[in-house]
Amino acid sequence: MSKEDISRRQFLNYTLTGVGGFMAAGMLMPMVRFAIDPILEKGASQDMVAVTEVSKIGKEPKRFNFKIKQKDGWYESEVTQSAWVYKNGKGELIALSPVCKHLGCTIDWNTDPAHPNQFYCPCHGGRYEKDGTNIKGTPPLAPLDVYDSQVKDGKLYLGKAKPRKGA
Amino acid sequence: MKWSSGDITVYQQSKEFVDTAIIPLLPLSFGASIRTSASMADYATLIGEETERQLHGRLFLLPPFTYLMEEDSETLMFRLHSWVKELKDEGLRHVYFLTSDPGWKKREQELGETLLWMPVIPMETMDADYREEIVKEQVKQLFQVILHKWQES
């Protein structure tokens, strides 16, 4: 019995502190987690989506489709979006949104015979330069939105389309 | 534009730019042709939505005009014509009917407006990508009709 230099009272004290500590931690942890949750949350920015291989992009704007997840109330669905992508003179990749800034029709590249090499909106004849700038005298009042873009491992990733200031 | 509160706000602000309406004509029938009428509804709805997405700013996709397949043709025509009259009064100059029901093809003359009749393609067994491609192709053809009319006016 000489080895036991711990009394019954001490033993109970230790166990109770231990168990109590766990219980307190069990209660506090979720509370702390809730309190700091907004900090841990990922940025609201939409995830980037792989669209195409960079090698497929040329100087002429080309239309690429890609899918994003869209939440509509409780219902999550995949929505197809498209982008007009090309390389500009400096070799940068430009990805333009195909949605006309006038009333939201879908624009097309080089389809108006009278005005070649422009984006053309079939609804009200809105036109944009290759870089997306709206042409004065046509209905749109702002340049086309530009997608956030990123190149990784030879692939082009696109994020959200962001508006630019009017010309 | 669609018949939804968000789009209506835009519509009211820019009425002068919207001059085209599409009415999907969807038949309803139980009994033997229940499956046919459902796939007609599917198909016309898909086509209508894709067309609206592309021509959002000038085209109004209306809620579908539904009818019983056995409905008396006199009352049917009367109902449809009163829709058209309402739309014309509102300033929508071009009215299109979009349907897969072959019944309308026979009576195209009586309609007075352009009938866009698309023979139904059963889509329920197709995978999503393929379905999308088919719808896109079909809509491209519809475009020719609508754009041509716009250029004329």
Side-chain angles (χ1 to χ4, degrees):
Chain A
M1 290 296 249
S2 62
K3 273 184 189 166
E4 282 191 37
D5 40 343
I6 178 169
S7 71
R8 177 189 298 261
R9 179 182 300 257
Q10 261 179 322
F11 171 75
L12 283 174
N13 263 345
Y14 288 151
T15 27
L16 279 180
T17 331
V19 170
F22 273 116
M23 278 167 63
M27 281 196 296
L28 283 174
M29 279 283 282
M31 286 199 239
V32 174
R33 182 70 177 68
F34 287 144
I36 62 167
D37 190 55
I39 305 169
L40 297 177
E41 197 168 288
K42 261 195 228 154
S45 70
Q46 186 191 312
D47 295 342
M48 305 286 259
V49 183
V51 176
T52 180
E53 277 150 39
V54 172
S55 55
K56 285 186 187 157
I57 301 169
K59 291 223 154 85
E60 190 78 3
K62 206 170 150 194
R63 188 170 177 160
F64 290 100
N65 293 330
F66 58 103
K67 280 189 175 143
I68 56 156
K69 287 210 171 91
Q70 185 178 288
K71 231 178 179 179
D72 192 5
W74 289 272
Y75 182 67
E76 206 173 292
S77 57
E78 276 201 327
V79 184
T80 308
Q81 283 198 332
S82 35
W84 286 100
V85 189
Y86 69 94
K87 256 185 202 139
N88 70 4
K90 293 177 213 150
E92 297 161 328
L93 293 178
I94 311 286
L96 296 170
S97 151
V99 179
C100 179
K101 294 299 277 183
H102 177 222
L103 283 172
C105 294
T106 307
I107 55 149
D108 215 335
W109 170 252
N110 211 358
T111 42
D112 183 19
H115 303 277
N117 292 321
Q118 288 180 350
F119 289 106
Y120 176 68
C121 173
C123 286
H124 304 101
R127 284 182 282 123
Y128 304 85
E129 301 284 1
K130 190 178 176 185
D131 65 1
T133 321
N134 51 310
I135 291 168
K136 275 200 182 136
T138 65
L141 296 172
L144 294 171
D145 291 354
V146 178
Y147 282 105
D148 282 339
S149 64
Q150 200 180 8
V151 176
K152 220 162 69 185
D153 305 329
K155 275 192 181 153
L156 173 71
Y157 287 76
L158 293 184
K160 253 198 169 124
K162 296 235 169 80
R164 293 180 290 175
K165 280 215 184 78
Chain B
M1 327 231 147
K2 286 183 186 157
W3 193 256
S4 68
S5 48
D7 283 359
I8 296 297
T9 319
V10 180
Y11 171 68
Q12 285 177 321
Q13 286 159 1
S14 32
K15 258 186 187 175
E16 69 271 28
F17 292 109
V18 185
D19 64 354
T20 307
I22 285 196
I23 311 175
L25 309 177
L26 305 187
L28 179 68
S29 165
F30 289 87
S33 38
I34 183 167
R35 289 192 69 86
T36 333
S37 75
S39 42
M40 280 174 184
D42 273 356
Y43 190 58
T45 309
L46 278 175
I47 298 275
E49 276 173 359
E50 178 63 20
T51 315
E52 188 274 341
R53 208 168 65 92
Q54 305 264 348
L55 301 175
H56 183 84
R58 188 166 171 180
L59 179 143
F60 216 132
L61 177 67
L62 292 174
F65 176 89
T66 46
Y67 53 92
L68 292 172
M69 266 188 174
E70 298 80 25
E71 196 166 329
D72 170 56
S73 60
E74 292 273 301
T75 47
L76 193 56
M77 272 297 170
F78 177 77
R79 280 210 295 138
L80 195 55
H81 280 140
S82 55
W83 275 49
V84 174
K85 189 180 175 303
E86 178 81 23
L87 296 174
K88 295 263 160 152
D89 289 350
E90 176 66 21
L92 295 160
R93 288 183 294 146
H94 308 288
V95 178
Y96 294 96
F97 304 117
L98 175 65
T99 189
S100 297
D101 181 356
W104 292 105
K105 191 70 195 156
K106 295 175 210 147
R107 317 180 54 197
E108 201 173 356
Q109 303 301 322
E110 300 165 53
L111 285 171
E113 304 296 327
T114 314
L115 175 73
L116 305 170
W117 177 68
M118 318 284 282
V120 71
I121 301 178
M123 308 204 109
E124 64 267 24
T125 51
M126 283 178 204
D127 73 26
D129 286 340
Y130 189 50
R131 183 161 48 200
E132 211 165 274
E133 210 169 289
I134 287 195
V135 170
K136 283 225 167 94
E137 269 316 301
Q138 296 284 322
V139 167
K140 239 184 226 169
Q141 324 237 349
L142 276 191
F143 264 34
Q144 303 306 321
V145 180
I146 297 174
L147 294 188
H148 184 73
K149 264 270 180 74
W150 282 354
Q151 274 155 14
E152 271 178 5
S153 61

